[in-house]
Amino acid sequence: MNHVLAVTRKEFRQIVRDRRTLLMLVFVPALFLLVFGYALNFDVKHIKLAVEDRDGSSESRALVSAFVNSGYFDPAGAVHDPRTASRMLDRNAARAILVIPEDFSRTVTTGGTAVVQVIVNGDNANTATAVVGYATNILQTVSADLAGTVRLPVSVESRIWYNPELRSALFLVPGLIAYLTMLMAVTSTALSIVREKESGTIEQVRMAPVGTFAFILGKTVPYFVINMGSAALVFVAAQLLFDLPMRGNWITLVAVLSVYLLGALATGLFVSTVADTQQVAFQIALLVSLLPTLMLSGFIFPIASMPEFLQAITRLVPARYFLIALRGIVLKGTAFANLLPEFGALGIYATVVLGLASLRLAKERS
């Protein structure tokens, strides 16, 4: 028993001295609980709803109020023609369009049945299904209030754009592409500089007449080429196996993928400047790539349903912007001009993280 106690005391002392291990044991479970507890939410709320009210009557305004007051929809503005509605759906300015016909008021007051159209962005099959269900329930409630009888004077006609069959694969496969690309890129470069440290060749690099930024770029280029080839292979496989469409421009896709991949490689390089061993580098790489990309990018769980503080954190996750761009290109055929905010966010992330990796390495070399 004394031997067990002696070994126990020794192990406790080692754990306390190894602050990184202690941090992983104490901090990571709490972080996972925080993120999972708030992000694991399949409820679809705060759906951006645009309204095309062609009637402009008190009855149509009451219908719009019923949607907004339901707690599921947030007003995204008014539209006055189909072209504007299409543009709002393309840019994700709205997830659904409520179209109220011109004769809505006259039809319901004269005993007819008015057909209200709900156009839904189908790039997220789960969200689209929920939107159609919410809209149907709200219209049934409004119908009962208007009729006061069994007859329902309002019916819904739902139209799903971009994914009319609501195939889950068209929603999940782009997310898997973003997830796998980030995971492979971060882990590949995270081990590169650490491998130099463990083998001792980092000392030769420090003495070589090579600038820090040139060294970082030299480390990045081979992995960039390899991971671009891997991403291309994954994308082709997705088209062949899961019938993933390609409705946009290939050059736009390559440009967005390149910037996203550059940011992922930069993240791995930054991790490699922080860690001292490949084991620690691999653990950190998984933590900074797997968790945010899977939980905080909109890959599975809708960002709009998360608490505001977690939504703010998702703005630091590059996969969030890449997913918007990727789904827009392959499912909607979105033009590059409409993806400038996402492209700019990815570019800023890549530039900042590359700069941080260069500064960290320059500090180690000095």
Side-chain angles (χ1 to χ4, degrees):
M1 188 62 183
N2 291 334
H3 293 165
V4 174
L5 292 175
V7 174
T8 301
R9 285 195 297 268
K10 170 185 171 294
E11 195 64 26
F12 267 118
R13 285 196 296 268
Q14 286 184 340
I15 293 175
V16 171
R17 292 193 191 104
D18 188 357
R19 295 182 179 179
R20 289 179 180 174
T21 301
L22 185 62
L23 187 65
M24 293 286 288
L25 292 174
V26 176
F27 174 71
V28 171
L31 175 64
F32 274 50
L33 175 64
L34 177 67
V35 175
F36 285 5
Y38 284 108
L40 286 173
N41 186 355
F42 288 101
D43 295 336
V44 180
K45 296 182 179 179
H46 301 292
I47 303 158
K48 292 182 287 186
L49 176 72
V51 178
E52 184 178 351
D53 186 357
R54 302 173 181 173
D55 190 53
S57 63
S58 58
E59 287 80 6
S60 65
R61 289 192 293 271
L63 178 60
V64 175
S65 298
F67 272 81
V68 175
N69 295 332
S70 67
Y72 297 113
F73 295 92
D74 292 338
V79 296
H80 303 287
D81 58 84
R83 182 176 299 179
T84 304
S86 175
R87 189 160 53 245
M88 292 188 74
L89 290 177
D90 283 344
R91 295 179 177 178
N92 290 311
R95 298 292 306 178
I97 309 290
L98 175 65
V99 182
I100 303 174
E102 297 89 342
D103 56 351
F104 176 80
S105 175
R106 179 166 52 85
T107 301
V108 298
T109 55
T110 57
T113 299
V115 179
V116 174
Q117 188 177 74
V118 178
I119 304 173
V120 183
N121 185 343
D123 63 354
N124 186 326
N126 295 332
T127 301
T129 302
V131 170
V132 173
Y134 294 156
T136 301
N137 290 335
I138 292 170
L139 287 171
Q140 287 177 348
T141 302
V142 172
S143 293
D145 292 340
L146 288 173
T149 64
V150 178
R151 180 182 56 82
L152 299 180
V154 181
S155 65
V156 59
E157 176 188 301
S158 59
R159 293 180 57 193
I160 311 296
W161 284 13
Y162 315 122
N163 184 12
E165 298 175 355
L166 291 178
R167 291 176 52 212
S168 297
L170 298 189
F171 161 63
L172 293 175
V173 170
L176 285 172
I177 293 174
Y179 170 70
L180 294 173
T181 302
M182 174 63 71
L183 185 64
M184 294 299 101
V186 172
T187 53
S188 62
T189 51
L191 303 177
S192 60
I193 295 178
V194 178
R195 194 179 299 115
E196 301 261 12
K197 294 178 182 179
E198 290 186 337
S199 63
T201 56
I202 192 67
E203 298 299 330
Q204 300 176 8
V205 173
R206 289 172 178 169
M207 301 299 295
V210 178
T212 301
F213 192 69
F215 176 71
I216 288 287
L217 286 181
K219 282 285 188 181
T220 305
V221 170
Y223 294 105
F224 179 84
V225 174
I226 294 171
N227 281 279
M228 277 293 288
S230 176
L233 182 62
V234 169
F235 192 84
V236 171
Q239 289 189 303
L240 295 176
L241 299 176
F242 302 104
D243 295 324
L244 184 71
M246 179 56 188
R247 296 169 181 151
N249 187 284
W250 284 97
I251 297 177
T252 302
L253 176 62
V254 171
V256 173
L257 177 60
S258 298
V259 180
Y260 175 67
L261 189 56
L262 186 61
L265 294 171
T267 302
L269 286 172
F270 179 73
V271 169
S272 69
T273 64
V274 175
D276 295 325
T277 65
Q278 293 189 57
Q279 182 180 5
V280 173
F282 186 73
Q283 291 175 348
I284 298 176
L286 288 180
L287 184 64
V288 301
S289 62
L290 187 150
L291 181 63
T293 305
L294 188 64
M295 305 294 297
L296 303 177
S297 64
F299 171 23
I300 299 176
F301 309 105
I303 294 176
S305 299
M306 299 179 186
E308 291 187 2
F309 81 92
L310 206 56
Q311 291 187 40
I313 295 176
T314 63
R315 297 186 182 277
L316 302 176
V317 178
R320 167 181 176 160
Y321 305 101
F322 180 65
L323 266 179
I324 294 174
L326 181 60
R327 287 171 176 159
I329 294 169
V330 301
L331 298 181
K332 304 177 184 178
T334 305
F336 181 77
N338 293 333
L339 298 174
L340 285 178
E342 288 73 28
F343 189 83
L346 291 172
I348 292 172
Y349 178 85
T351 302
V352 170
V353 179
L354 266 179
L356 290 175
S358 300
L359 290 175
R360 284 281 309 178
L361 187 60
K363 184 178 179 180
E364 289 185 358
R365 297 181 66 181
S366 60

